[in-house]
Amino acid sequence: MIKIGTALFEAAEQLEREKGISKDVLVSSLCDALVAGYKKHIKDKDAENVEAILDETAGEIGVFRTKLVVENVENPDTQISLEDAKEIDDEVEIDDEVKIEVTPENFGRIAAQSAKQVITQRIREAERKMVLDEFLSKKGTLITGIVQRKDERNNVIVNIGKTDAVMPTREQIPGEYYKPGNRIRVFVLNVKETTRLPQVIVSQAHSEIVRELFELEVPEIEDGIVEIKSIAREAGFRTKLAVWSNDPSVDSVGACIGPRGSRIQTIVGELKNEKIDIVRYSLDPVEYIVNALSPARIISVDILADEETRKEAFVIVPDDQLSLAIGREGQNVRLAHRLTGWKIDIKSESQAAQMEKQAQKDTAKDAEENIEEAPAVEEAIEETAIEAVEETKEAETTEE
């Protein structure tokens, strides 16, 4: 047996406290390393009856081979005679198995060299598995992290506890300055397994971060009374949120805003003053589109197509509401389209009147052209009839 003392067990306990890696991982790694070193020493890597046994009480570890008790030994590596087995255990019988210590002399240095590499590898594997399991369970949720730095690709590195997460440029809020040391909330977008620690991808631009914040701040959403039906977001600028109440006595919009706007103000502050429009969801597409285009006032909504693959609506607004309905660089109508799933064509009242007037002119013009073409059509029909009669008479004369 090899004397290892108590230092190993103290190190294992410290590792368990600091990194959460079980003491058993270190012990089993040491045993495996000892077995690997022994097989290399005897130049028999396929030996299957070899194991390492650790005696924690005595602080010793050794290599043992399991052998079968037989009358006539044919293979001394796997078999032992009954006479020799009796020296180890008086009660042993034929066909029993005994463990025989085979630890080579001066094996401590070889064992230490083998153990160092194996233990380091096992600890890394255990740490990687722990991180992977932890963050796979957190995928799709909000967590808090601390900004570390920006890398050469302009990705923000965020420390989230046991590992560093990556926030790619596309997942960052446009114009936001991520100062090292700042504490931020991020959405766990994905977890990728790598040969080293798992790579955690986080986001501050994903629309689901808005859902998570509302679930944290609005008890009615967490309880299922108020339901978020749809979210359309352009991170850093504006978000539209469609909500629905499963209880007629609860106002879905009011619940999200909170007393004196306390709930919505907290969320807006968390999103760096991003504008949030909360609209009522409706099964009626006309009402839903009107709500989605708020704060603009709507005169009318005409449904042009209501099919599974094609949903189009024509909206008329007052002249002074056109720019508000469309929004800056088309943002309002674009978010309304993404929120409702409807393609929305917006015209002002004067534009719609002009379009109708032009349509009436086109209709009148078409009718006038049809009237002018009518005599020519009648004349062509008459000529065709005369020719048919003459052809018939000629055919009758020929027959006679």
Side-chain angles (χ1 to χ4, degrees), residues 109-180:
R109 182 178 59 82
I110 298 173
Q113 290 176 346
S114 301
K116 181 180 179 181
Q117 184 177 359
V118 174
I119 289 174
T120 302
Q121 182 180 353
R122 291 290 180 85
I123 289 174
R124 286 176 179 170
E125 289 175 357
E127 191 174 6
R128 182 170 66 247
K129 187 177 184 303
M130 285 180 59
V131 173
L132 182 65
D133 292 343
E134 177 181 352
F135 288 102
L136 277 176
S137 65
K138 292 181 179 179
K139 185 177 177 180
T141 62
L142 276 178
I143 59 173
T144 301
I146 300 174
V147 177
Q148 299 295 302
R149 67 187 188 282
K150 275 196 173 185
D151 64 14
E152 63 279 359
R153 296 182 180 178
N154 213 33
N155 300 324
V156 177
I157 309 302
V158 184
N159 181 267
I160 50 175
K162 294 179 180 178
T163 188
D164 286 342
V166 177
M167 182 160 59
T169 306
R170 65 180 181 277
E171 300 299 338
Q172 300 170 24
I173 297 177
E176 178 68 14
Y177 173 61
Y178 293 96
K179 183 181 178 182

Side-chain angles (χ1 to χ4, degrees), residues 142-338:
L142 276 178
I143 59 173
T144 301
I146 300 174
V147 177
Q148 299 295 302
R149 67 187 188 282
K150 275 196 173 185
D151 64 14
E152 63 279 359
R153 296 182 180 178
N154 213 33
N155 300 324
V156 177
I157 309 302
V158 184
N159 181 267
I160 50 175
K162 294 179 180 178
T163 188
D164 286 342
V166 177
M167 182 160 59
T169 306
R170 65 180 181 277
E171 300 299 338
Q172 300 170 24
I173 297 177
E176 178 68 14
Y177 173 61
Y178 293 96
K179 183 181 178 182
N182 280 3
R183 188 176 293 272
I184 60 173
R185 270 183 177 175
V186 291
F187 181 78
V188 181
L189 199 60
N190 198 7
V191 181
K192 297 179 180 178
E193 189 172 2
T194 65
T195 53
R196 302 184 69 184
L197 286 177
Q199 186 181 45
V200 183
I201 309 297
V202 296
S203 172
Q204 277 205 315
H206 201 279
S207 60
E208 285 300 308
I209 198 171
V210 179
R211 185 190 300 274
E212 290 287 325
L213 288 173
F214 271 93
E215 288 178 355
L216 287 172
E217 295 296 332
V218 183
E220 290 84 351
I221 293 178
E222 187 179 2
D223 296 339
I225 299 172
V226 174
E227 186 178 349
I228 298 174
K229 288 290 187 179
S230 181
I231 302 173
R233 185 186 186 202
E234 292 190 1
F237 301 102
R238 195 171 186 177
T239 291
K240 283 184 179 288
L241 191 80
V243 294
W244 170 269
S245 176
N246 294 312
D247 186 345
S249 63
V250 176
D251 177 20
S252 57
V253 175
C256 293
I257 293 174
R260 297 181 181 179
S262 58
R263 294 173 180 174
I264 192 69
Q265 285 174 8
T266 301
I267 296 170
V268 167
E270 188 71 39
L271 296 176
K272 312 298 181 185
N273 296 321
E274 184 176 308
K275 292 181 180 179
I276 299 179
D277 297 336
I278 303 175
V279 303
R280 284 186 176 83
Y281 174 80
S282 176
L283 295 173
D284 179 7
V286 172
E287 184 181 354
Y288 191 21
I289 291 170
V290 169
N291 294 343
L293 287 170
S294 65
R297 289 183 288 108
I298 310 299
I299 293 177
S300 66
V301 177
D302 291 328
I303 302 299
L304 303 180
D306 188 1
E307 302 170 2
E308 187 175 347
T309 57
R310 181 168 166 258
K311 294 180 180 292
E312 295 181 9
F314 181 72
V315 176
I316 299 176
V317 299
D319 290 355
D320 62 345
Q321 294 287 300
L322 182 61
S323 60
L324 185 61
I326 295 175
R328 185 177 182 182
E329 298 179 353
Q331 187 182 75
N332 193 56
V333 68
R334 187 167 58 248
L335 287 174
H337 159 65
R338 287 163 52 189

Side-chain angles (χ1 to χ4, degrees), residues 8-80:
L8 175 70
F9 304 107
E10 292 173 358
E13 291 171 359
Q14 183 178 357
L15 192 67
E16 189 169 13
R17 286 194 303 270
E18 292 179 355
K19 295 192 174 183
I21 298 174
S22 172
K23 173 184 173 183
D24 295 335
V25 172
L26 187 61
V27 172
S28 64
S29 300
L30 179 61
C31 291
D32 290 345
L34 206 64
V35 171
Y38 174 77
K39 289 181 179 181
K40 186 176 180 181
H41 178 73
I42 64 172
K43 299 179 181 179
D44 184 8
K45 63 178 181 179
D46 297 324
E48 297 180 355
N49 59 335
V50 181
E51 65 177 315
I53 298 176
L54 176 67
D55 185 348
E56 291 191 32
T57 305
E60 296 178 338
I61 190 170
V63 183
F64 291 79
R65 294 195 78 157
T66 302
K67 296 187 178 182
L68 181 67
V69 180
V70 295
E71 291 184 1
N72 299 314
V73 177
E74 296 179 358
N75 185 352
D77 289 336
T78 59
Q79 298 174 337
I80 187 174

